[in-house]
Amino acid sequence: MQSQNGMRQVARKLTGLAKSFAIGANAVGTLTVLVLVIVMNIDVVARGVFHSPFLGVVEIVIFSMIFIVFLQLPDVVRVNRLTRSDGFLVLIRDSHPRIADAFYRMIDAISFVLMALITYATFPTLVEAFETCHYFTPPEFGPKPSGDLWADLVAATKRCHYFGTLGVFTIPWWPANAVITASAGLCTVLFFLKVVFGHELRDEDEPPHSESEELRDSAGETS
């Protein structure tokens, strides 16, 4: 009994940790939206007042969209706002709770497998993109490390596979790859926890969502 309680406490702590990471990633994604709005407003002012566009704004917008989508995805999974059609399960949840729960766990299990495959498929791309920078290994071409940490870091970053337009705006690809892989990995963990503990991932003292709340979430509405 004590071992079961201990395992349950560990599992609950893991669930809380995963939920905290999802909320934190969502907050960073929201800050990215704010930064993007500021950049776009600067570009509007620069074009209208100084007749000089902010170089790289198009590339920044495209690159930021990756961060916004994948940073907010885990929290969307956590609160069950991921696009889905489960109105039928919501309707039968009260009258046939075991059947609804079984279907929810089956759907979450399939989602777990898909997210695990995405994580597995994107990780080698992340490693490859990061290794092109040669942060910790001597580069195959170009000058060798000078011993100056900052200068070597800048030189390594310039060697990375980049996104953007050369001479206008470029940024290394590996941060975007890292966000995609980490987001898929965290979604994998969340879906696994949903399979084990239930679709809502609520705390023991948290009341279950009402039918109206579930129908609202299923329709994609926000409170």
Side-chain angles (χ1 to χ4, degrees):
M1 181 65 68
Q2 292 182 352
S3 61
Q4 290 181 352
N5 291 334
M7 290 294 294
R8 185 175 301 175
Q9 291 179 357
V10 171
R12 288 298 177 187
K13 288 182 180 180
L14 177 60
T15 303
L17 185 63
K19 292 166 67 174
S20 298
F21 274 120
I23 294 171
N26 187 21
V28 176
T30 303
L31 290 176
T32 304
V33 174
L34 177 61
V35 172
L36 185 59
V37 170
I38 294 173
V39 169
M40 295 181 68
N41 278 277
I42 292 175
D43 181 60
V44 170
V45 173
R47 289 174 183 271
V49 178
F50 303 104
H51 304 288
S52 177
F54 184 76
L55 295 179
V57 68
V58 175
E59 289 82 0
I60 292 174
V61 170
I62 296 173
F63 197 80
S64 298
M65 292 304 296
I66 300 174
F67 278 75
I68 293 169
V69 171
F70 285 95
L71 283 172
Q72 295 187 331
L73 180 60
D75 201 48
V76 172
V77 172
R78 179 186 70 86
V79 297
N80 300 324
R81 295 289 176 89
L82 194 64
T83 303
R84 64 196 192 275
S85 298
D86 59 353
F88 174 72
L89 296 180
V90 174
L91 292 175
I92 70 169
R93 188 184 62 181
D94 292 335
S95 57
H96 300 83
R98 292 185 178 180
I99 296 177
D101 183 68
F103 272 107
Y104 272 127
R105 291 178 190 265
M106 181 179 66
I107 294 171
D108 290 331
I110 295 172
S111 301
F112 160 75
V113 173
L114 291 176
M115 282 297 176
L117 290 174
I118 293 174
T119 306
Y120 177 79
T122 57
F123 183 73
T125 305
L126 166 61
V127 174
E128 180 181 359
F130 187 81
E131 287 181 345
T132 60
C133 307
H134 291 278
Y135 284 116
F136 305 107
T137 58
E140 299 173 359
F141 304 99
K144 302 297 181 183
S146 63
D148 186 335
L149 182 61
W150 178 251
D152 290 340
L153 179 63
V154 172
T157 302
K158 291 181 179 179
R159 288 192 296 264
C160 299
H161 284 176
Y162 63 86
F163 167 81
T165 304
L166 191 62
V168 178
F169 178 86
T170 59
I171 188 170
W173 254 124
W174 69 263
N177 296 129
V179 168
I180 293 172
T181 303
S183 174
L186 184 53
C187 288
T188 302
V189 174
L190 288 168
F191 277 122
F192 174 77
L193 293 172
K194 285 174 178 288
V195 173
V196 176
F197 297 110
H199 184 64
E200 293 187 19
L201 272 189
R202 65 179 186 271
D203 297 328
E204 293 181 353
D205 56 346
E206 182 181 351
H209 294 168
S210 65
E211 181 176 310
S212 60
E213 290 175 331
E214 283 288 339
L215 287 172
R216 179 200 63 194
D217 294 346
S218 179
E221 299 176 6
T222 55
S223 56

